Amino acid sequence: GLALGLWRRQVALAAAREDEEEKELRQRFMAPPVSGLRELRRRRRELRSRMELLIMETQAEVCRALTALDPGASFAVDSWERKEGGGGISCVLQDGDVFEKAGVNVSVVSGLLSEEAARQMRSRGKSLKAKDGKLPFCAMGVSSVIHPKNPHVPTMHFNYRYFEIEEADGTKQWWFGGGTDLTPTYLNEEDAVHFHKTLKEACDKHDPKLYPKYKKWCDDYFYIKHRGERRGIGGIFFDDMDSPSKEEVFQFVKSCAKAVVPCYIPIVKKHCHDSFTPEEKLWQQLRRGRYVEFNLVYDRGTKFGLLTPGSRIESILMSLPLTARWEYMHTPLESSKEAEILEVLRNPKDWAH
């Protein structure tokens, strides 16, 4: 009887501990995770679960940091399901005093890769062996775009994701991708240095060769070919990262995700009360037009989302600003502040050294 009583007490204690843990996790996140807390806890040693917890934590961290700067505004939290498998949580703030539009999305989806998505991956050198034309996949990530009202506060984007594909013979291919980049309307060299140095520190913890490699990749990736300029002043960007080991890449991605708030929030704090003119606001609107052009014409994530059956269009197009402008043949005056940023967008600089 004594042994049974002890066992019952242990079971009750374990259950209470689990409930406590669940409550704590619930408070930490913006919404319950797509895979459910119990399932995540049950598989907590698996990388897929750890990645889902990381993207949930990153979403909550960023949303809280933004709300602290714009207390009059709040995030609409929208959990959605995808009938083909999985779902996501979209957190969007609109028309605040500081942020015109800020979105922080999490998605955890699974199912069968569409033919077009598989084609896009094969074009990047992936050899994917399908079974009866079917490729089961699992993809998850956190993605955010923040468009501030003030033209002296830059737009910021980040995205960190994990992908897994099961081939015909049962082998799994996996890789991570992601990045963080800054798109100022006006150039502030001190901000550019702070942003890049913070990202460089996160990369250097793992390997000093990573930052220069991923900084160049970012400059090359966010290139608007038809305009001959980059979308912004860059940051870091990488894809298809599958070595040295799953654990090491995960730790690297974690460091990058943890650098998002410290690389950006101090810049917002510094400039969100700067005064600006109608002309400066107009220039911001024109630069936003370029942002839209890049996202709709070139961005791989947007393309993948639009090609994935059952994907949620509202969440994919969350990256687009609330307002933007396209003027015919607009050219800034020589030696103006507007011409200064264009020069940097055409010829990227090394900010971290």
Side-chain angles (χ1 to χ4, degrees):
L2 190 65
L4 187 63
L6 262 172
W7 176 76
R8 279 192 179 134
R9 219 168 78 225
Q10 280 170 334
V11 168
L13 276 170
R17 209 165 37 237
E18 226 173 76
D19 287 345
E20 202 50 47
E21 232 178 85
E22 198 157 313
K23 211 159 77 188
E24 196 190 313
L25 279 177
R26 245 177 237 284
Q27 284 164 348
R28 241 164 62 198
F29 300 150
M30 299 300 286
V34 174
S35 300
L37 285 169
R38 276 169 200 246
E39 185 59 17
L40 284 181
R41 191 179 302 104
R42 199 172 62 77
R43 298 203 324 249
R44 65 169 159 258
R45 286 189 179 80
E46 284 181 30
L47 195 122
R48 267 166 69 163
S49 299
R50 290 163 67 205
M51 183 65 180
E52 190 170 344
L53 286 168
L54 174 66
I55 62 181
M56 293 295 297
E57 271 165 24
T58 305
Q59 180 184 50
E61 248 166 57
V62 173
C63 288
R64 286 188 185 121
L66 298 177
T67 310
L69 293 177
D70 204 343
S74 63
F75 276 92
V77 179
D78 190 8
S79 294
W80 50 273
E81 277 181 27
R82 178 175 170 269
K83 69 174 192 299
E84 291 82 355
I89 300 145
S90 299
C91 295
V92 182
L93 181 159
Q94 266 181 183
D95 237 347
D97 294 328
V98 175
F99 302 108
E100 188 174 293
K101 188 174 176 198
V104 194
N105 278 356
V106 153
S107 67
V108 180
V109 299
S110 55
L112 297 172
L113 209 57
S114 73
E115 202 37 63
E116 281 174 283
R119 207 169 24 247
Q120 197 188 328
M121 284 173 188
R122 286 190 181 107
S123 73
R124 298 203 323 260
K126 296 253 170 239
S127 62
L128 303 171
K129 296 183 280 293
K131 187 180 186 175
D132 309 324
K134 292 182 171 64
L135 278 166
F137 82 99
C138 154
M140 61 180 72
V142 57
S143 169
S144 172
V145 177
I146 297 154
H147 293 291
K149 281 202 161 158
N150 193 313
H152 298 292
V153 182
T155 283
M156 195 267 286
H157 156 258
F158 77 87
N159 168 287
Y160 290 100
R161 57 194 181 275
Y162 173 68
F163 222 98
E164 212 175 74
I165 287 182
E166 195 176 320
E167 293 190 275
D169 59 2
T171 55
K172 282 185 180 167
Q173 277 205 49
W174 59 268
W175 64 90
F176 288 86
T180 304
D181 62 280
L182 198 68
T183 306
T185 301
Y186 288 97
L187 184 67
N188 179 304
E189 298 216 348
E190 206 179 80
D191 297 343
V193 169
H194 164 80
F195 185 80
H196 276 270
K197 278 198 161 163
T198 310
L199 294 177
K200 181 180 183 298
E201 276 165 30
C203 292
D204 285 355
K205 275 185 217 165
H206 300 270
D207 183 345
K209 291 199 284 285
L210 295 177
Y211 169 76
K213 181 183 173 184
Y214 295 155
K215 190 257 181 211
K216 184 188 183 305
W217 197 338
C218 190
D219 289 334
D220 293 344
Y221 178 75
F222 291 105
Y223 182 60
I224 310 171
K225 287 190 195 74
H226 59 270
R227 297 284 188 183
E229 62 194 42
R230 273 91 200 147
R231 187 175 77 175
I233 59 157
I236 56 171
F237 179 85
F238 59 92
D239 208 350
D240 302 325
M241 195 177 181
D242 58 6
S243 67
S245 73
K246 212 183 238 191
E247 184 58 35
E248 283 167 284
V249 185
F250 174 69
Q251 291 302 334
F252 167 68
V253 167
K254 191 173 183 174
S255 295
C256 294
K258 294 289 173 206
V260 169
V261 168
C263 76
Y264 182 60
I265 295 298
I267 297 173
V268 183
K269 273 186 181 157
K270 186 172 147 191
H271 298 290
C272 62
H273 300 301
D274 288 5
S275 59
F276 58 89
T277 64
E279 291 73 29
E280 287 170 333
K281 187 67 188 171
L282 169 70
W283 178 241
Q284 182 194 42
Q285 297 284 290
L286 291 165
R287 296 313 309 161
R288 293 246 188 95
R290 297 285 206 270
Y291 205 92
V292 172
E293 287 175 30
F294 178 85
N295 279 27
L296 294 182
V297 178
Y298 300 112
D299 187 68
R300 201 189 287 158
T302 306
K303 279 184 178 175
F304 176 78
L306 296 173
L307 296 176
T308 302
S311 58
R312 192 167 186 269
I313 301 304
E314 285 297 328
S315 298
I316 294 161
L317 299 183
M318 169 213 80
S319 63
L320 302 183
L322 209 53
T323 60
R325 189 177 172 107
W326 285 266
E327 270 190 28
Y328 186 68
M329 302 290 278
H330 182 278
T331 312
L333 293 170
E334 255 181 78
S335 312
S336 64
K337 285 289 217 185
E338 290 77 15
E340 179 190 32
I341 185 86
L342 278 184
E343 176 55 32
V344 171
L345 300 177
R346 287 173 187 151
N347 304 292
K349 277 178 73 166
D350 177 3
W351 298 103
H353 294 93

